[in-house]
Amino acid sequence: MCGIAAVVFEEARGRDHVEAILSRMCNAQKSRGPDGTYVWSDGRVGLGMVRLAIVGSESRGKQPIESAAGGRMIFNGELYEPEKVMTSLGGSFPENECDGAALLRLLEQRGLEGLRDVSAMFALALHQSCDDSVLLVRDARGQKPLYRTRIKGEVGRGWAFASTIAALHAVAGPFSVRPEAMHECLIFKSVGGTASAFAEIDQIPPGGWMRIARDGAVREGRWFTPHPPGHQPGESDRVRELLSEAIRMRLPKQFRSSIFLSGGLDSSIVAAVAARANEAPTPHVLTIGYDVGGWQDEHSLAVQLAEELGLQHQSLTVKSDDIPNLLRDTSIALEDPNHDPVVVPTLLLAQAASRETKVVLTGDGSDEFWGGYARFDDPPHSLEAYLKRTMVFHPEELGLSSYPSSYLSGIEIPSEGSMDSLDRIMRLETANRLRNYHLSRIDKLTMASGLEARAPFLDLKVTGYADSLPATEKRPENRAKGLLVDAFRPLLPVWLLERKKQPFTVPIETWLQGSLHDFARDILGVTAFVIDLADPAPLFAGLSVPETATPSAQRLWSLLHLEIWHREFALQMEKMP
């Protein structure tokens, strides 16, 4: 796990010049890799990385990783079964080897098709000396970020790639805020599609690749596209088998990991399987609550489950007085705005976990693949009608006739009539919102603390099986995640399985009516950036009216987070590096 940086110039610029650029890029994302910084260049192509050491010795973990065939690869992520991969390729995996070595050999022997057979999350850049080309690849679901931008000016002309926007800014800034992105964030709480919050930056798509030839010619494509659902019945034993194996392989054998436990089904499944795993040290559990209490606080349920499973647990509390600083810290760490209130407890959990370990397991990715959201009930035939269910601000409240088309730019959406309505809706969720709203958040907030987050629900075998089933099989009798619940009845207590599903959320209404009220008024004053997007005054008034308090709080939170993001991060990106 690390942060990667790469540059590809149209013409050679000199080795020292390129390595100096890479050093600036790596320093800009140092929190992703506190255990070492490495750069390499031939004068035209440059590869750099900051390392979070998990697999492999210090000498073996240096990047770029080199092969006998002349390939050089930088790699951010994790290959979970490197021994198995190397054996399948006719080789062996030494005890102190880096997992990236197996990934490089796989690519050289089997090409991009070989990636479909492995359990991994990754973003990588591979320089192939045989033809002097550079290949960029991102994992199937977009668990690891891979941003790109064009370089021009005194540094030279070409491309830059990195795990973070800040790293790109170090070589190619200044960047300008993309106006459509601001509307996307206020409507849907995050940017969408394959863009970013900045006009000059976009992303390699999940399951996507990009190849730059020696002459500068660019080719792009997808190495991964999910298959349409079939008609076979769902098998709870098969679900339990696949997911349990995915959880076990993500438990590091050399040290104890952590689990973020919310008290909901998904993280509870991870904890229950991990508690029974004998191949790795038993993980410890982190739970979180709020000093204001409220129905959002599931801390006591998480503690109860941890104790029933025999897992050591640590409880944290979000203090109301700390929210302003946490909003600032999350805005900087996220880089692209993300208005989900859970960013606040997630950052606290990540900071606490990083003091004990380098690996945390989470339950992210379950709802999208197994049908967990309440908004999946009575699915509309139109995706447009469904998207209205996910909105905070509606377009007309922002003076728009509809949401920005850029929100779905670059997203592969099944055509109308190609599958049932709910199947199509769930494919939209896994293709867009999952990556930009959930996975980006968990990656950025954990890596800001030098912590690697692993999500067993996103294992390719697990998601492949989920994709193969129609939504009606995953939600039998219209029960949210019914097949998943049935699969893990033998491992979880009845009280947890039978409780009503509650999203992991945060008491923002209580905060904005109380300790955060004056702070929010000051931030959202007459000089605020967001004033030109939406007027907060009626929303403050709405906090005191029971019928409008909740939607007013949700809208105010989005405005507040966006304003702080603009002050603390965007304005820095608009300056010369």
Side-chain angles (χ1 to χ4, degrees):
M1 181 62 68
C2 60
I4 61 172
V7 290
V8 183
F9 288 101
E10 294 177 4
E11 301 293 339
R13 301 291 296 170
R15 179 177 175 179
D16 291 345
H17 174 76
V18 177
E19 289 189 351
I21 288 172
L22 290 169
S23 294
R24 294 202 304 271
M25 296 175 72
C26 287
N27 287 337
Q29 56 185 3
K30 185 65 177 177
S31 65
R32 294 185 71 92
D35 298 326
T37 300
Y38 311 102
V39 299
W40 169 89
S41 175
D42 64 1
R44 186 183 74 90
V45 175
L47 305 174
M49 64 91 73
V50 289
R51 186 186 185 212
L52 178 65
I54 295 177
V55 178
S57 64
E58 181 178 355
S59 60
R60 293 283 189 172
K62 292 182 179 180
Q63 295 189 23
I65 305 162
E66 299 186 21
S67 72
R72 291 183 178 87
M73 186 184 79
I74 51 173
F75 157 60
N76 166 33
E78 202 74 45
L79 180 65
Y80 296 114
E81 295 182 299
E83 302 91 345
K84 182 178 178 181
V85 171
M86 288 294 272
T87 299
S88 72
L89 298 171
S92 60
F93 189 77
E95 181 178 351
N96 293 321
E97 185 60 275
C98 171
D99 53 321
L103 187 60
L104 174 55
R105 185 161 178 173
L106 176 70
L107 280 169
E108 290 186 332
Q109 289 194 18
R110 297 182 181 172
L112 293 170
E113 270 304 306
L115 298 174
R116 297 188 66 95
D117 299 324
V118 299
S119 294
M121 57 178 177
F122 57 84
L124 64 87
L126 170 60
H127 175 239
Q128 297 169 312
S129 60
C130 59
D131 60 4
D132 205 19
S133 67
V134 176
L135 174 69
L136 292 302
V137 192
R138 194 175 182 192
D139 67 63
R141 301 299 179 182
Q143 295 181 70
K144 307 313 300 177
L146 187 51
Y147 294 101
R148 64 185 174 187
T149 192
R150 295 302 301 261
I151 318 172
K152 55 187 177 180
E154 293 183 3
V155 296
R157 297 184 63 85
W159 286 92
F161 306 87
S163 301
T164 66
I165 291 171
L168 293 183
H169 177 259
V171 60
F175 299 135
S176 54
V177 170
R178 183 169 61 89
E180 299 88 350
M182 302 300 94
H183 290 135
E184 292 171 26
C185 291
L186 291 180
I187 295 171
F188 297 109
K189 298 200 285 190
S190 73
V191 298
T194 56
S196 77
F198 299 92
E200 298 85 358
I201 300 172
D202 70 347
Q203 308 173 54
I204 301 288
W209 60 268
M210 173 181 177
R211 189 186 300 274
I212 306 173
R214 177 64 184 87
D215 63 2
V218 173
R219 294 173 54 219
E220 298 185 63
R222 299 285 179 99
W223 66 268
F224 176 84
T225 300
H227 297 297
H231 302 284
Q232 71 271 34
E235 300 177 10
S236 58
D237 289 347
R238 180 64 172 156
V239 175
R240 187 169 60 253
E241 173 191 350
L242 289 173
L243 187 51
S244 296
E245 178 59 24
I247 295 167
R248 286 192 289 266
M249 76 169 64
R250 282 162 176 77
L251 293 170
K253 296 180 175 59
Q254 66 272 42
F255 56 83
R256 186 174 73 159
S257 57
S258 293
I259 296 173
F260 290 167
L261 186 61
S262 68
L265 175 67
D266 309 322
S267 60
S268 297
I269 289 173
V270 175
V273 173
R276 293 166 171 80
N278 298 318
E279 305 89 347
T282 303
H284 82 298
V285 164
L286 286 167
T287 68
I288 199 159
Y290 308 100
D291 64 359
V292 296
W295 63 267
Q296 298 93 343
D297 195 332
E298 295 185 291
H299 162 257
S300 61
L301 297 175
V303 169
Q304 180 180 344
L305 179 65
E307 292 178 346
E308 290 185 17
L309 294 174
L311 293 173
Q312 180 183 353
H313 60 86
Q314 176 184 353
S315 297
L316 307 176
T317 300
V318 179
K319 298 178 181 178
S320 301
D321 291 343
D322 293 337
I323 302 303
N325 286 334
L326 287 169
L327 282 169
R328 174 189 177 276
D329 292 344
T330 57
S331 295
I332 295 171
L334 289 164
E335 297 196 310
D336 276 324
N338 189 311
H339 302 160
D340 191 333
V342 304
V343 299
V344 168
T346 300
L347 182 61
L348 280 179
L349 287 166
Q351 291 170 343
S354 68
R355 292 191 283 270
E356 303 291 333
T357 185
K358 291 184 176 182
V359 172
V360 63
L361 274 65
T362 78
D364 291 279
S366 172
D367 287 308
E368 291 81 4
F369 285 98
W370 299 98
Y373 293 122
R375 60 179 179 266
F376 289 163
D377 295 342
D378 301 317
H381 294 295
S382 164
L383 290 183
E384 300 294 319
Y386 170 74
L387 284 172
K388 290 182 180 179
R389 299 183 179 185
T390 70
M391 293 178 178
V392 178
F393 282 92
H394 287 263
E396 57 271 19
E397 295 176 286
L398 304 177
L400 305 174
S401 58
S402 66
Y403 65 87
S405 59
S406 55
Y407 182 68
L408 298 180
S409 177
I411 301 302
E412 295 183 340
I413 304 172
S415 60
E416 189 171 353
S418 62
M419 56 184 70
D420 288 344
S421 297
L422 184 53
D423 288 303
R424 191 164 174 247
I425 286 169
M426 290 172 66
R427 289 301 170 93
L428 173 63
E429 287 275 353
T430 58
N432 190 39
R433 188 180 173 92
L434 171 65
R435 179 186 74 258
N436 290 317
Y437 183 58
H438 295 284
L439 302 186
S440 176
R441 177 185 73 227
I442 195 68
D443 171 84
K444 294 291 185 66
L445 295 177
T446 53
M447 290 303 293
S449 302
L451 181 71
E452 173 180 297
R454 300 180 176 181
F457 281 96
L458 296 176
D459 184 88
L460 271 187
K461 291 180 181 177
V462 174
T463 59
Y465 185 62
D467 278 338
S468 74
L469 300 174
T472 51
E473 288 295 315
K474 291 179 279 193
R475 291 169 57 95
E477 301 166 343
N478 204 34
R479 291 183 292 129
K481 292 188 287 196
L483 181 59
L484 194 61
V485 170
D486 295 342
F488 284 90
R489 284 190 185 280
L491 274 67
L492 293 171
V494 173
W495 64 262
L496 186 144
L497 294 170
E498 294 185 352
R499 66 184 292 263
K500 184 179 179 180
K501 174 179 169 54
Q502 174 179 312
F504 181 45
T505 188
V506 175
I508 58 172
E509 187 176 331
T510 302
W511 288 341
L512 287 166
Q513 289 172 335
S515 61
L516 203 60
H517 187 271
D518 290 344
F519 171 78
R521 276 199 176 276
D522 288 342
I523 294 294
L524 298 175
V526 294
T527 62
F529 164 77
V530 297
I531 290 293
D532 291 336
L533 299 170
D535 183 4
L539 301 177
F540 280 112
L543 286 174
S544 60
V545 180
E547 292 78 14
T548 60
T550 297
S552 294
Q554 292 170 342
R555 288 166 168 79
L556 276 173
W557 180 269
S558 288
L559 287 173
L560 180 62
H561 208 284
L562 187 60
E563 178 64 27
I564 294 174
W565 169 84
H566 185 260
R567 295 185 184 190
E568 300 293 340
F569 186 75
L571 288 179
Q572 300 306 311
M573 296 300 102
E574 291 179 341
K575 298 176 182 178
M576 287 294 294

